[in-house]
Amino acid sequence: MTDLLAHLNPQQIEAVTLPAEPALVLAGAGSGKTRVLTTRIAWLLHNGLVSPAGILAVTFTNKAAREMQARLGAMLPLDTRGMWIGTFHGLCNRLLRAHHRDAGLAQLFQILDAADQLAAIKRMVKALNVDDEKFPPRELQHFINAHKEAGLRPHAVEAFDDYTRRRVELYQEYEAQCQRESVVDFAELLLRCFELLQRNEPIRRHYQQRFRHILVDEFQDTNALQYRWLKLLACEGGEGGAALFCVGDDDQSIYRFRGAEVGNMRDFEREFHVRHLIRLEQNYRSHGNILDAANAIIRHNGDRLGKNLWTEHGAGEPIRVFEAMTDLDEARWIVDEVSTLAREGMARSDIALLYRANAQSRVLEHQLFSAGVPYRVHGGLRFFERQEIKHALAYLRLIAHADDDTAFQRVVNFPPRGIGARTQETLQDAARTFNTSLYAAVPHLPGKSAAKLAAFVRLVEDLRLETERLPLPELVDHVVARSGLRAHYEGEKEGQDRLENLDELRNAAENFAVESEADAETLAQPHALLTEFLNHASLEAGDHQANAEADAVQLMTVHSAKGLEFDVVFLSGLEEELFPHGNSLSESGGLEEERRLMYVAVTRARKRLYLSCAQSRALHGQTHYHLRSRFLDEVPPELVKWLTPGTRFGGGAFWSPARVDEPPAPSSSRVLPGGFAIGQNVRHARFGVGVIVAAEGGGEDAKVQINFGDAGVKWLLLSLARLEAM
């Protein structure tokens, strides 16, 4: 027993050796929560307080479950494979397999992953002759899963209008189809298991009596149904119930969009009359300045359980902050710093580039590619490999070269236009017969099958003619809209990221056009620059630095970085409406979630942290001017070293600090087109006195967003607004 506790600090020992009663362990970032969980199990088993069969341990990933089993196997001479350690879905699957008849399932029921579930919904929609534009399958999938995760079957869903009523009917049809086919989706695993335990008292009592200790990892990420499932198994805190040992961190609850309920921690503390709330605050990962910054940022959130991270590692280096003129300048600076660190001996794999939104990776990827720096996009695809980008590029490739069969096959029926597999096979046969491309074979097809293909060919021909003289960025915009891609993704419940990536493709085209070294004669040829751009995209997409063992810089969103750590972290795009995200500012609790996300980002860094922002950024096909993120202002100035040199903007002085380590002038001094500045007070003839809070565009198209107080917030065109400086 002494050996088990030898390497724990006092708070960890207190958590491991708690009596058998409900307990909440508030485990800060890098505080050794996995060690505490596994040691708690080992301590209970070693002391004969429970048998291996009496343990139920719940994790959020299979990787975490395997790691827990491996650690337990190293601590104690026992076979952990028979223990109930796994994810919510894995444990529910195990229980349902054992009681499939009571759950109303076939013995060999199959599990649908997300892609299989979507395919099943598409089949149902087609079989019922449902308009998939009015009821997009992906949106139906979200509707079904959201209600299952809330514990609601179709009969319990309130339908306030005909549209919702029809979606409820389709939810019911989907359930019937799954039952006929003996398949179960992920959301169904948990709901079916919960319902089984709720209605079948003998089975419920059996597991309540079996599992004397229930341990839960990442408790802050549980949703409403998962918490109800845990309460059922633990007798909801009643006499004789299991000891529910929950480990989590309310400051790292960042999955509200997936249904996570940070309030479950407060509810658990209240409903189970928790006497022991233990805070693990000693951090074994980061240096002190990084932790002090994280503590200062998260204190701005209210309704926290509260903790303060500290370390014995010492203060370490100051946090480096850089404010660039543009997002391109920001990316160049980041890549220069990465290259310098690599030359000094830092492994690239120990360097992470974090960002709030997937679309931000494109400009970083471009600069890394141009500098020959190997990189890996973690938890996602590289920019030019993303589905929506490959679709858009396929249309562009057909405009430049109609005989591109790969591009043709990719988009001939995307967005869906009723051209099925059989029609495409007939077209392929015709292409082989006439020894021509698929595109050229369309006129040779007889009958009805040719009509829809001919319409697709006309669309491509129209796009070629309509874009012949368009500048490259406008060409991309036009093709994305006219092809139907934009409308398709606008119709998807979770299509916002894809739309942002399509907007970023337009920015990529604009940057390429500016940087292009093509001569005037080449540019005079229709679609010549488009061809060069497509070649550039292919090179970037194809240059994988494919060796998986290669020393590569890690790129990822902050959400993807949760649970990871790196010696050096660059966090870019720290501007209002980007991070914190604009959507969060109008949602209840949204800003607090963004701040938790910032806290997670900061605490990924072990030794060195870089924070950066840009005074202007190309977003959604337009240039935007935003204030520096409030999160930058929440970092105590004594922890910061400013790296920004004096810069120039629009031919005149923008700001020039006396020393590099001094912060630049406040955001309110930013000069904008027309001579105005963000933060400046102005007067409007109709709306009165207000303050400029944001701007976008340039020249005659420059717009400013002004807060006029009682008159509201307005976007005004500077060339027409006739603003008076105050």
Side-chain angles (χ1 to χ4, degrees):
M1 182 175 70
T2 304
D3 289 342
L4 286 176
L5 306 180
H7 300 293
L8 303 182
N9 66 40
Q11 290 72 35
Q12 291 173 332
I13 291 174
E14 183 185 2
V16 166
T17 59
L18 281 173
E21 61 181 62
L24 180 58
V25 179
L26 198 62
S31 64
K33 69 177 178 62
T34 305
R35 176 186 294 181
V36 166
L37 267 170
T38 51
T39 308
R40 168 71 171 172
I41 297 172
W43 184 82
L44 290 169
L45 295 170
H46 179 83
N47 287 282
L49 300 175
V50 67
S51 69
I55 294 284
L56 178 71
V58 188
T59 66
F60 264 81
T61 66
N62 290 314
K63 179 183 176 183
R66 289 192 296 270
E67 182 181 350
M68 188 177 292
Q69 288 176 323
R71 289 196 187 193
L72 281 170
M75 288 179 176
L76 296 173
L78 56 83
D79 185 355
T80 62
R81 287 176 297 180
M83 296 177 65
W84 283 57
I85 299 175
T87 64
F88 279 101
H89 293 121
L91 294 169
C92 287
N93 175 51
R94 186 170 177 176
L95 197 148
L96 289 172
R97 296 282 177 193
H99 304 282
H100 61 91
R101 288 192 184 89
D102 297 288
L105 291 169
Q107 183 175 6
L108 300 177
F109 68 84
Q110 299 296 305
I111 298 173
L112 299 176
D113 63 18
D116 291 336
Q117 183 192 25
L118 182 59
I121 291 171
K122 287 179 177 177
R123 278 195 293 109
M124 176 196 71
V125 166
K126 186 175 182 180
L128 296 174
N129 202 26
V130 172
D131 183 349
D132 61 5
E133 292 188 2
K134 187 175 181 181
F135 298 96
R138 197 176 296 276
E139 188 174 319
L140 276 175
Q141 181 182 35
H142 178 83
F143 177 84
I144 290 167
N145 290 342
H147 284 94
K148 285 189 179 186
E149 288 166 3
L152 299 175
R153 293 294 184 189
H155 64 82
V157 179
E158 292 188 49
F160 298 104
D161 52 43
D162 291 341
Y163 182 70
T164 306
R165 193 172 298 110
R166 182 56 176 150
R167 288 200 294 178
V168 171
E169 291 171 356
L170 292 171
Y171 176 11
Q172 194 165 10
E173 290 284 352
Y174 168 75
E175 283 203 323
Q177 174 179 295
C178 288
Q179 192 68 26
R180 286 194 306 272
E181 298 175 2
S182 297
V183 294
V184 175
D185 58 51
F186 283 153
E188 181 70 20
L189 280 172
L190 185 63
L191 180 54
R192 185 75 66 115
C193 186
F194 172 78
E195 290 171 339
L196 171 65
L197 293 171
Q198 188 179 47
R199 70 170 181 266
N200 193 311
E201 185 175 358
I203 292 177
R204 182 174 71 251
R205 290 294 181 199
H206 167 76
Y207 287 104
Q208 287 173 339
Q209 290 166 13
R210 172 177 177 164
F211 297 128
R212 307 313 302 154
H213 287 268
I214 301 175
L215 302 97
V216 188
D217 192 12
E218 304 285 10
F219 186 61
Q220 78 279 351
D221 292 334
T222 53
N223 63 31
L225 185 58
Q226 288 164 343
Y227 181 44
R228 289 171 66 191
W229 185 83
L230 289 168
K231 288 198 293 183
L232 260 186
L233 284 173
C235 296
E236 301 194 31
E239 290 296 322
L244 189 50
F245 183 92
C246 298
V247 180
D249 183 2
D250 57 336
D251 290 335
Q252 294 189 78
S253 179
I254 59 172
Y255 296 120
R256 187 172 66 156
F257 65 95
R258 293 182 188 167
E261 295 276 359
V262 66
N264 286 346
M265 299 186 79
R266 288 277 190 196
D267 291 345
F268 169 60
E269 185 182 19
R270 183 185 69 256
E271 293 169 1
F272 281 75
H273 310 292
V274 173
R275 295 192 305 125
H276 294 100
L277 193 159
I278 297 175
R279 290 174 171 83
L280 304 183
E281 298 174 303
Q282 183 174 358
N283 178 282
Y284 295 92
R285 174 189 300 159
S286 306
H287 286 161
N289 285 338
I290 293 169
L291 298 180
D292 289 346
N295 289 330
I297 290 166
I298 203 63
R299 280 193 205 106
H300 287 79
N301 272 2
D303 197 28
R304 297 169 58 229
L305 290 168
K307 64 184 180 310
N308 196 66
L309 297 179
W310 61 277
T311 183
E312 294 180 344
H313 290 331
E317 302 178 26
I319 294 164
R320 293 161 168 83
V321 180
F322 183 84
E323 183 169 17
M325 293 300 305
T326 69
D327 52 342
L328 283 173
D329 294 331
E330 179 190 39
R332 290 190 190 103
W333 170 77
I334 289 172
V335 173
D336 285 346
E337 287 289 317
V338 167
S339 300
T340 299
L341 290 168
R343 284 195 299 272
E344 293 172 353
M346 172 72 67
R348 294 188 192 91
S349 57
D350 287 332
I351 302 173
L353 276 51
L354 308 185
Y355 35 82
R356 175 63 180 85
N358 268 310
Q360 289 174 255
S361 80
R362 201 277 311 167
V363 66
L364 292 168
E365 288 186 55
H366 176 65
Q367 293 303 322
L368 289 164
F369 172 79
S370 299
V373 178
Y375 68 92
R376 172 176 176 252
V377 179
H378 183 93
L381 296 170
R382 293 156 70 104
F383 182 78
F384 284 111
E385 294 171 346
R386 292 169 189 164
Q387 179 206 84
E388 60 279 8
I389 299 303
K390 290 175 77 72
H391 285 330
L393 290 174
Y395 278 104
L396 295 172
R397 283 162 59 188
L398 286 175
I399 290 171
H401 182 59
D403 294 329
D404 187 329
D405 282 357
T406 302
F408 185 95
Q409 287 181 298
R410 182 172 193 91
V411 294
V412 66
N413 195 41
F414 195 92
R417 49 178 59 90
I419 300 174
R422 184 171 298 176
T423 299
Q424 293 184 51
E425 288 170 7
T426 304
L427 179 63
Q428 289 165 9
D429 291 341
R432 282 192 292 270
T433 300
F434 292 97
N435 192 28
T436 186
S437 68
L438 295 174
Y439 191 91
V442 170
H444 297 292
L445 238 61
K448 295 181 179 178
S449 57
K452 291 178 180 177
L453 285 167
F456 175 69
V457 167
R458 283 196 301 274
L459 170 63
V460 174
E461 294 292 344
D462 289 346
L463 286 172
R464 184 177 295 114
L465 290 171
E466 292 162 2
T467 60
E468 198 170 48
R469 299 298 175 188
L470 286 180
L472 186 60
E474 293 177 26
L475 185 156
V476 171
D477 265 350
H478 184 79
V479 169
V480 167
R482 180 87 153 76
S483 65
L485 287 175
R486 183 170 297 282
H488 175 80
Y489 290 120
E490 283 173 348
E492 288 191 353
K493 188 73 174 180
E494 299 174 357
Q496 187 58 40
D497 275 355
R498 299 193 188 278
L499 290 170
E500 289 178 1
N501 286 334
L502 288 172
D503 290 334
E504 189 58 33
L505 181 63
R506 195 252 194 218
N507 294 335
E510 186 166 19
N511 293 336
F512 180 83
V514 171
E515 296 172 1
S516 174
E517 297 178 355
D519 56 41
E521 184 178 346
T522 300
L523 292 176
Q525 301 173 27
H527 298 126
L529 192 58
L530 171 60
T531 300
E532 291 201 8
F533 176 61
L534 291 170
N535 291 337
H536 159 77
S538 296
L539 286 171
E540 282 209 24
D543 183 33
H544 287 275
Q545 308 287 349
N547 185 355
E549 302 300 317
D551 183 22
V553 176
Q554 309 295 300
L555 272 68
M556 66 198 77
T557 64
V558 181
H559 280 102
S560 295
K562 175 96 165 19
L564 303 178
E565 56 187 78
F566 305 91
D567 281 350
V568 179
V569 168
F570 289 82
L571 178 59
S572 62
L574 281 166
E575 298 126 41
E576 291 290 297
E577 297 192 42
L578 184 56
F579 198 3
H581 197 279
N583 293 344
S584 72
L585 303 179
S586 59
E587 297 173 354
S588 175
L591 180 59
E592 287 76 11
E593 176 114 342
E594 290 289 297
R595 189 172 281 111
R596 293 194 291 269
L597 196 57
M598 178 69 180
Y599 176 83
V600 166
V602 169
T603 54
R604 299 310 95 195
R606 288 192 286 251
K607 298 177 181 177
R608 187 179 288 190
L609 175 64
Y610 293 85
L611 307 176
S612 63
C613 60
Q615 294 162 1
S616 69
R617 183 174 299 275
L619 283 174
H620 315 309
Q622 291 185 316
T623 299
H624 292 256
Y625 300 84
H626 292 303
L627 296 169
R628 287 199 305 266
S629 171
R630 68 192 72 197
F631 299 151
L632 275 175
D633 296 330
E634 292 171 3
V635 178
E638 63 271 18
L639 303 177
V640 171
K641 179 179 181 180
W642 282 89
L643 301 181
T644 314
T647 54
R648 299 183 69 80
F649 177 65
F654 188 78
W655 61 264
S656 183
R659 297 199 315 273
V660 169
D661 61 354
E662 288 183 353
S667 302
S668 59
S669 70
R670 295 180 178 181
V671 179
L672 302 171
F676 292 96
I678 292 178
Q680 180 179 2
N681 290 322
V682 293
R683 186 190 303 278
H684 185 270
R686 177 180 174 189
F687 302 120
V689 175
V691 60
I692 299 175
V693 295
E696 64 180 42
E700 293 185 357
D701 296 325
K703 295 189 295 185
V704 289
Q705 187 181 43
I706 305 174
N707 186 342
F708 287 107
D710 292 341
V713 179
K714 314 286 184 185
W715 276 103
L716 301 176
L717 199 64
L718 272 175
S719 59
L720 301 177
R722 298 182 180 178
L723 297 176
E724 177 187 346
M726 297 287 289

